[in-house]
Amino acid sequence: MQLADVRTAAAGDATTISRLLADAIRGSYDGILGEIPVRRLVSTQCALPRIRAEIEIPGGAPGWLGWLVATDAEGAVVGAAAGGVPVPGEGELYALAVAEGSRRRGVGSALLAAATDRMRGYGAAEQRVSLPLEADPSLPFYDKRGFTPLTPTRLSRPL
């Protein structure tokens, strides 16, 4: 198991987060969603100006708790997550991505745990995530961590 340190993202992490998210989306959904939907996901979710702005929101914004990054022993970013508490009591995981070479080594679990702790600190009693597909490749990860379907593409778990 790879040990990952999780910290709040800094401005200098924006490019790495953008690339990591884009690689994760392409790696997970190419051949499943089709070229145009994958391009749309990448262009909306991985836009560098958007990620930079989200990292630099002073003190956060209502409902936004920011980006987290996981780093390996050498300090390289190997995963990223973003979340918030947009509705009182309901945490929302907006993004969770792990570099391909670091998957199945505890990085995603470390990021989810850190995001969950932040959400609990802001009063979340439940956590939710939306997925692009009913048969999303990440379903086993979320199932194993106690998420259950609210709809075919929306999962939830109590905290």
Side-chain angles (χ1 to χ4, degrees), residues 20-88:
L20 190 134
L21 285 173
D23 290 347
I25 289 169
R26 288 184 193 107
S28 295
Y29 300 112
D30 270 350
I32 297 173
L33 284 177
E35 184 180 344
I36 293 172
V38 168
R39 282 186 186 180
R40 279 191 198 123
L41 272 174
V42 169
S43 70
T44 59
Q45 302 302 315
C46 309
L48 188 54
R50 172 188 169 171
I51 292 170
R52 279 189 181 130
E54 290 172 345
I55 289 172
E56 295 173 5
I57 294 172
W64 172 248
L65 299 180
W67 282 96
L68 298 168
V69 294
T71 57
D72 65 13
E74 289 78 37
V77 173
V78 294
V85 182
V87 175

Side-chain angles (χ1 to χ4, degrees), residues 1-158:
M1 177 175 270
Q2 173 175 319
L3 297 177
D5 290 321
V6 177
R7 62 173 171 76
T8 300
D13 296 319
T15 300
T16 303
I17 292 170
S18 176
R19 287 184 189 142
L20 190 134
L21 285 173
D23 290 347
I25 289 169
R26 288 184 193 107
S28 295
Y29 300 112
D30 270 350
I32 297 173
L33 284 177
E35 184 180 344
I36 293 172
V38 168
R39 282 186 186 180
R40 279 191 198 123
L41 272 174
V42 169
S43 70
T44 59
Q45 302 302 315
C46 309
L48 188 54
R50 172 188 169 171
I51 292 170
R52 279 189 181 130
E54 290 172 345
I55 289 172
E56 295 173 5
I57 294 172
W64 172 248
L65 299 180
W67 282 96
L68 298 168
V69 294
T71 57
D72 65 13
E74 289 78 37
V77 173
V78 294
V85 182
V87 175
E90 293 181 11
E92 185 75 28
L93 187 64
Y94 299 125
L96 178 75
V98 176
E100 189 170 338
S102 296
R103 292 180 187 159
R104 301 185 189 277
R105 296 183 181 171
V107 176
S109 295
L111 284 163
L112 180 61
T116 300
D117 287 346
R118 274 190 173 187
M119 290 173 194
R120 279 190 184 120
Y122 282 84
E126 185 176 2
Q127 188 174 49
R128 297 179 176 193
V129 63
S130 293
L131 305 173
L133 297 168
E134 287 183 39
D136 198 275
S138 65
L139 273 174
F141 173 84
Y142 292 111
D143 286 342
K144 186 176 179 184
R145 285 147 188 88
F147 284 84
T148 57
L150 290 172
T151 70
T153 60
R154 189 132 168 85
L155 309 175
S156 177
R157 71 174 179 173

